Amino acid sequence: MSSSSSSVSFQTPRKVVKKVLSLSQSEADGATVRRSIGRHEVPNLDPFLLLDEFSVSKPAGFPDHPHRGFETVTYMLDGAFTHQDFSGRKGTIRTGDVQWMTAGRGIVHSEMPASDGVQKGLQLWINLASKDKMIKPRYQELESKDISQAEKDGVKVRIIAGEAFGVRSPVYTRTPTMYMDFTMQPGSQLHQPIPKGWNAFVYIIKGEGVFGREAAAPASAHHCLVLGTGDGLSVWNRSGARLRFMLAAGQPLNELVVQQGPFVMNSRAQIQKAMEDYYYGRNGFEKASQWSST
């Protein structure tokens, strides 16, 4: 799977089938997020469960909380966040860094601002197949300098997962996923292949662009664009400023999704068991009751 920013004719171009403006809301301990995937207009987009654009200043943040049954991908746009978990792991991700966390059978962790001022980033939740929900937790962390990048004809891409312009990310995606940060100069165009059958969406960080078809109305920052079926996405930047957006696509799991807050399983019984395991410190949550972040 490769891509080109020159003229490409897709057999079935992907068009925008839903456009949602993500509005600011309070979350966790004083944090502000703009939620797009995971709200009533787009409750989920298999395999994606949630996308938040967060904006956090001390002392606000995301204090100690659990997860089971999915992955979280945190991508810092500006600033720094410190992550701690109940296994003793601690680290800080800074502007341009990414942390790909597979919660699997269970993690309790905190995510808090590591510097003064406003810390900004994106967090994407990706579901795990039923066979993977109880695997051992795992991390993949990349500093900004280690993220695969490519540039062609006024289009620059940072490849968190998947492949673009013939360049592939080293990140392993247990649920097959592509996740990319595109920046397009004024007057440029992009034609990015997306595997057939995968669900896909765009989240605009800055600027405005025309997505899907040349006659479409421009879409601007903080809009989530759900894409229809097809084999690729075309984008045109006809404005006088740079356009920056994320493109995410994933292979659907086609399994029942039952979610209760930070637990995502396949049945109500499994959710109940996850809550009991967390409460009683069992099946992956053995360290939960003895740990708190510093």
Side-chain angles (χ1 to χ4, degrees):
M1 182 178 65
S2 61
S3 61
S4 171
S5 56
S6 59
S7 180
V8 170
S9 177
F10 292 118
Q11 185 175 358
T12 312
R14 287 184 180 246
K15 299 177 182 178
V16 176
V17 296
K18 183 174 286 189
K19 179 180 177 182
V20 177
L21 177 62
S22 57
L23 302 175
S24 295
Q25 65 184 65
S26 295
E27 189 73 14
D29 186 7
T32 299
V33 304
R34 289 179 175 270
R35 182 160 298 166
S36 46
I37 307 296
R39 48 187 285 176
H40 67 276
E41 294 95 336
V42 191
N44 59 66
L45 186 68
D46 188 12
F48 304 111
L49 302 164
L50 175 145
L51 178 70
D52 279 349
E53 179 183 4
F54 58 83
S55 179
V56 186
S57 301
K58 293 180 179 180
F62 304 92
D64 305 3
H65 59 281
H67 292 296
R68 173 180 279 181
F70 62 100
E71 300 182 296
T72 68
V73 183
T74 306
Y75 182 45
M76 291 303 299
L77 299 176
D78 189 26
F81 250 55
T82 293
H83 169 275
Q84 300 180 57
D85 77 16
F86 68 175
S87 70
R89 186 183 182 95
K90 182 177 181 180
T92 299
I93 56 173
R94 306 181 186 280
T95 303
D97 296 351
V98 64
Q99 181 198 72
W100 196 295
M101 183 186 81
T102 303
R105 64 176 177 249
I107 276 180
V108 180
H109 72 160
S110 66
E111 301 156 292
M112 301 296 289
S115 57
D116 295 331
V118 181
Q119 321 302 308
K120 297 181 179 180
L122 298 168
Q123 188 166 95
L124 178 68
W125 290 13
I126 305 172
N127 202 7
L128 287 169
S130 57
K131 65 181 178 62
D132 295 327
K133 286 189 176 294
M134 295 296 286
I135 62 174
K136 183 179 179 180
R138 179 174 187 258
Y139 289 91
Q140 298 176 86
E141 293 178 335
L142 289 176
E143 293 184 5
S144 180
K145 64 181 177 62
D146 298 321
I147 292 178
S148 300
Q149 300 186 48
E151 188 168 3
K152 184 177 180 181
D153 299 337
V155 179
K156 184 176 181 179
V157 59
R158 293 167 51 82
I159 308 158
I160 299 170
E163 182 180 329
F165 298 145
V167 178
R168 176 168 288 278
S169 165
V171 169
Y172 170 70
T173 59
R174 191 168 292 274
T175 300
T177 305
M178 59 188 292
Y179 191 38
M180 302 171 183
D181 175 3
F182 284 99
T183 299
M184 299 179 59
Q185 297 297 329
S188 64
Q189 58 180 281
L190 167 72
H191 304 279
Q192 171 64 43
I194 300 171
K196 288 186 178 180
W198 287 23
N199 287 328
F201 71 90
V202 163
Y203 185 76
I204 304 172
I205 298 170
K206 187 176 182 180
E208 68 171 35
V210 175
F211 294 81
R213 56 188 182 90
E214 290 194 73
S220 57
H222 310 304
H223 278 91
C224 176
L225 311 177
V226 178
L227 305 178
T229 58
D231 52 3
L233 170 68
S234 294
V235 185
W236 298 265
N237 182 1
R238 297 188 182 130
S239 74
R242 287 188 299 176
L243 164 66
R244 185 181 183 188
F245 65 93
M246 305 298 295
L247 171 63
Q251 184 175 26
L253 298 174
N254 296 317
E255 296 180 350
L256 185 64
V257 176
V258 181
Q259 180 173 352
Q260 182 73 44
F263 305 126
V264 183
M265 303 300 288
N266 301 108
S267 70
R268 290 303 311 174
Q270 290 173 346
I271 291 291
Q272 183 64 34
K273 188 174 188 305
M275 296 172 70
E276 291 174 359
D277 286 347
Y278 175 57
Y279 184 80
Y280 291 110
R282 303 181 305 211
N283 297 317
F285 288 116
E286 284 81 1
K287 299 178 182 179
S289 62
Q290 292 84 33
W291 179 82
S292 63
S293 59
T294 57

